[in-house]
Amino acid sequence: MRLIDSHCHLQADRFGADVDAVVAAARMAGLERILVPGWNAWSCAAALALVERHPWMDAAVGVHPHDAAKVTDAEWAGIAGQATDPRVVAIGETGLDFDRVFSPIPDQLLNLRRNLRLAVEAGKPAILHCRARIGERDAQDALLAEVRAFPGVRPVIHSFSGPVDYATAMLELGAWISISGLAFRRGEEATAEVAALVPADRLLVETDSPFLTPPGGPRGRNEPAAVEITARWVAGRRGLDQVDPAIEASVGNELIAAYDAAFR
Ligand SMILES: [Zn+2]
């Protein structure tokens, strides 16, 4: 099965000691694309340094909702300056997190808006994180309102979480939807239905490494090679819950095509 990882923080500290081995394992597992998003100033610079060493990978620059209240104006100016770099294929990750609220919500909204504005100006998609508390959808509804306020933005819904009608509303706004190991967690049951209904040309998969290890993945630290677990699960949802090598192969081809349409 051909594989992509549309969202993988390979520049994170937890890969500092052995990133080359992790990248080699990803290649062995069949990964053809990895997108490395930043979340603050240093991680955006580190994403660019990583894709410089691995030209088959892509970078994204932006500010995560967790960092919304921490990034200085000078740091933001630096990130905005990186947006036109040809190695930068998207703006993000940005978005809203009403679950952990590591930055106050008003700061998250201001941060999201300037990231969305930058994405429209740069003509690049916006990679969007969105989490509400289990059973709630306030973050998803707020994100929909923000995206609607920026005509021309091309949303990439990273690590999908939320109800089915949120997915369909985002698809109507032109979004790609990326599915991660979060899909296997309690409270995320709607994602199985979403995985089946997203049009093939809008569907992505990711690990969000080093986070969100899927069941059967590496213990402790998630790695890009584990995207195969999620991709096969997605193929199963699109194939009447059967293990079917032909469906897996065609989903793999579709994932590459959707990635290239979104980012290349
Ligand atoms: Zn992420």
Side-chain angles (χ1 to χ4, degrees), residues 128-130 137 139-141 143-144 157 160-171 177:
L128 303 175
H129 167 115
C130 191
R137 57 176 297 160
Q140 286 84 358
D141 288 337
L143 187 65
L144 271 170
I157 306 304
F160 181 83
S161 171
V164 173
D165 70 286
Y166 160 66
T168 54
M170 277 296 182
L171 287 167
I177 289 183

Side-chain angles (χ1 to χ4, degrees), residues 210-260:
F211 312 111
L212 300 179
T213 306
R219 284 180 174 274
R221 181 187 72 176
N222 199 7
E223 296 188 10
V227 82
E228 182 171 358
I229 296 166
T230 304
R232 287 192 192 283
W233 178 81
V234 166
R237 305 286 79 68
R238 299 173 78 79
L240 304 173
D241 290 324
Q242 291 170 7
V243 176
D244 183 331
I247 290 173
E248 289 184 354
S250 75
V251 168
N253 291 335
E254 288 161 359
L255 289 170
I256 304 273
Y259 182 99
D260 288 349

Side-chain angles (χ1 to χ4, degrees), residues 19-97:
V19 67
D20 290 341
V22 171
V23 170
R27 281 304 226 185
M28 285 291 289
L31 271 80
E32 298 180 40
R33 310 274 190 275
I34 294 179
L35 194 155
V36 183
W39 61 90
N40 62 7
W42 86 258
S43 61
C44 290
L48 280 166
L50 196 70
V51 305
E52 185 69 33
R53 283 176 43 224
H54 301 285
W56 60 279
M57 298 182 192
D58 299 304
V61 300
V63 177
H64 195 283
H66 290 342
D67 290 271
K70 299 175 199 151
V71 169
T72 67
D73 288 346
E75 287 172 335
W76 172 253
I79 291 167
Q82 291 162 341
T84 54
D85 188 306
R87 297 166 297 181
V88 170
V89 300
I91 303 306
E93 68 176 287
T94 187
L96 297 172
D97 195 310

Side-chain angles (χ1 to χ4, degrees), residues 7-9 37-39 64 93 127 129 158-159 206 208-209 211:
H7 195 109
C8 176
H9 300 289
W39 61 90
H64 195 283
E93 68 176 287
I127 298 174
H129 167 115
H158 137 64
S159 194
E206 65 173 271
D208 199 20
S209 299
F211 312 111

